[in-house]
Amino acid sequence: MANVITEAVGGAALLLRGARMLTQRPRLFLLGAVPPLIMSVVFAALLVVLITQLGTITTAITGFAAGWAEAVRTTFRVLAGAGVLGVTLLVMIISFSTLTMALGAPIYDKISEAVDADLPGGLPETGESWASSVPRALKQSVILISISLAAALPLFLAQFIPIVGQTAVPVISACFGGWMLCFELIGPSFERRGQPRLAQRRAAMQRRRWLALGFAVPCFLLLAIPFLAVVVFPVATAGGVLLTRELLDT
């Protein structure tokens, strides 16, 4: 148990180290804030639309409960609304990170390379060209979003389990969302080390899962706060390099 706590705290500390390293490069930090700012405006607008239509959506998907007692029906619809909102946020955060990475790829590559260059061992060489890496990265992003969508339904249904749905499910959702987000954040530094496949990232993360979760879950929760992503995303990119070095023991 002590080792689990130590690993998780160590993972969270990598985010703080990433922030400290980026404060030494204010220009890179500001450039890294532009893509999440653009995507935050888009996703915030989508979230506002969802919230304003949440009652209509909830009523539509719980139409079978129209004949239930009012108290039971209201409780059920409140849970359904919370489930829709929670699952949507889960998918949106994964999609947000994927689209932000794609939009600001050159910037985040620069951040990742700058952090790597400052650490012992310097910047690793990569033999992969930009032209070959982009199609593969897009394919991997589609896979990650598809997995998130597939997990959304059971998480939504689990919201209706008394007590478990209001306690365990939010924790599971945060851990799952953080785990999926971690694939994106460590991607550039893994690719630079000649390990471009998702299976290679998963194997490394599984070896030290609590370190990976300790880093990624706070990132996931912070990205769920509108516009805080403008600050968090470039910092998380820098932290992803530090996490990669820990996972690969370099």
Side-chain angles (χ1 to χ4, degrees), residues 51-172:
I51 292 173
T52 56
Q53 297 298 316
L54 190 59
T56 303
I57 295 171
T58 302
T59 301
I61 64 177
T62 59
F64 57 86
W68 295 5
E70 184 177 354
V72 177
R73 183 176 65 247
T74 301
T75 301
F76 189 79
R77 285 180 172 170
V78 168
L79 291 175
V84 169
L85 188 59
V87 166
T88 302
L89 282 173
L90 170 66
V91 176
M92 285 182 73
I93 292 172
I94 302 301
S95 303
F96 175 90
S97 64
T98 298
L99 295 174
T100 303
M101 278 285 192
L103 179 64
I107 299 171
Y108 297 122
D109 283 344
K110 285 289 184 185
I111 291 175
S112 183
E113 289 171 2
V115 173
D116 246 337
D118 267 4
L119 295 170
L123 187 64
E125 296 181 2
T126 176
E128 188 176 27
S129 67
W130 181 83
S132 63
S133 66
V134 170
R136 177 184 41 72
L138 290 174
K139 179 182 176 181
Q140 291 175 343
S141 296
V142 170
I143 292 172
L144 293 175
I145 293 176
S146 299
I147 293 172
S148 300
L149 288 171
L153 180 58
L155 287 172
F156 171 72
L157 294 176
Q159 292 278 346
F160 298 103
I161 303 174
I163 302 177
V164 173
Q166 294 73 55
T167 54
V169 172
V171 175
I172 293 171

Side-chain angles (χ1 to χ4, degrees), residues 197-213:
R197 295 187 293 115
L198 290 176
Q200 292 168 318
R201 294 180 223 173
R202 184 182 67 247
M205 288 161 59
Q206 286 176 339
R207 283 194 295 270
R208 299 188 67 181
R209 62 173 58 89
W210 294 109
L211 181 75
L213 286 172

Side-chain angles (χ1 to χ4, degrees), residues 162-188:
I163 302 177
V164 173
Q166 294 73 55
T167 54
V169 172
V171 175
I172 293 171
S173 297
C175 290
F176 173 77
W179 187 260
M180 299 304 294
L181 179 62
C182 193
F183 280 94
E184 293 282 1
L185 296 176
I186 65 177

Side-chain angles (χ1 to χ4, degrees), residues 2 15 24 26 28-29 37 63-64 87 100 104 107 116 158 169 182 196 227 231 235 241:
L15 191 61
Q24 300 168 5
L28 266 183
F29 178 78
L37 177 60
F64 57 86
V87 166
T100 303
I107 299 171
D116 246 337
V169 172
C182 193
F227 292 100
V231 175
V235 169
V241 179

